[in-house]
């Protein structure tokens, strides 16, 4: 999968029942997990032994986990839960009907790619050690541009804040559009203006 070297292949099923039995997520977490996820398989292990890249200071290896979805969306809380329960660095390949997107959990945030046909995905392993390889994968997946002076984690946090502001602006604009009271409409538009200034 992802055109990775044959030496990385594992194809080891990751049973939901085993995860539930070991980590005992609550009823709502189980329900959400079952609603979105059909099955999971650890398809690859990328390590110094399998790809001849030096071990990093914090990343020794990572797993590629293929997740077959029941629908076209996967709640990001499911990935955050998996990441919390299974203490491994995991690259998720989320697939539904032959279309897939990649995701990782970093800094308690889910970083996702755009979707495209599964067979078109190819994972490039670039970097001098596994730390650099892992960081570069995250940058590629998220289409991130790291601002000068920011670390990768700081950039992910900044992007998440920008996205939050964007959603808030869109909500306020909808409210302003339907507001009948001129004074309230003006207040909402002023708030939108203030948030737009903050985004810049």
């Amino acid at each position: 999968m992802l055109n990775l070297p044959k030496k990385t292949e594992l194809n080891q099923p990751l049973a939901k029942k085993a995860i539930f039995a070991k980590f005992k997520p609550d009823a709502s977490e189980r329900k959400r997990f079952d609603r979105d996820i059909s099955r999971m398989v650890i398809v690859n292990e990328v390590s110094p032994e399998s790809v001849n890249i030096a071990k990093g200071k914090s990343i020794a290896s990572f797993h590629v986990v293929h997740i077959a979805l029941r629908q076209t969306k996967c709640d990001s809380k499911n990935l955050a839960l998996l990441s919390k329960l299974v203490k491994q660095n995991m690259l998720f390949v989320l697939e539904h009907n032959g279309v897939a997107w990649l995701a990782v959990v970093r800094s308690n945030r889910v970083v996702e790619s755009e979707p495209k046909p599964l067979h078109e995905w190819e994972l490039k392993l670039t970097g001098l050690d596994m730390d650099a390889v892992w960081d570069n994968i995250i940058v590629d997946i998220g289409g991130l541009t790291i601002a000068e002076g920011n670390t990768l984690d700081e950039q992910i946090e900044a992007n998440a804040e920008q996205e939050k502001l964007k959603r808030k602006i869109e909500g306020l604009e909808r409210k302003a559009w339907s507001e009948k009271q001129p004074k309230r409409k003006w207040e909402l538009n002023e708030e939108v203006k203030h948030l737009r200034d903050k985004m810049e």
Side-chain angles (χ1 to χ4, degrees), residues 37-68:
I37 295 170
S38 172
R39 68 183 185 281
M40 300 176 292
V41 180
I42 302 171
V43 287
N44 303 86
E45 181 181 27
V46 178
S47 67
E49 294 73 33
S50 63
V51 293
N52 198 27
I53 293 172
K55 183 179 174 180
K57 286 181 182 174
S58 56
I59 309 286
S61 65
F62 67 89
H63 289 110
V64 177
V65 182
H66 178 236
I67 299 179

Side-chain angles (χ1 to χ4, degrees), residues 63-82:
H63 289 110
V64 177
V65 182
H66 178 236
I67 299 179
L69 299 175
R70 298 187 193 279
Q71 51 194 6
T72 54
K73 289 283 180 189
C74 181
D75 194 315
S76 60
K77 289 177 185 172
N78 288 322
L79 303 182
L81 179 68
L82 255 180

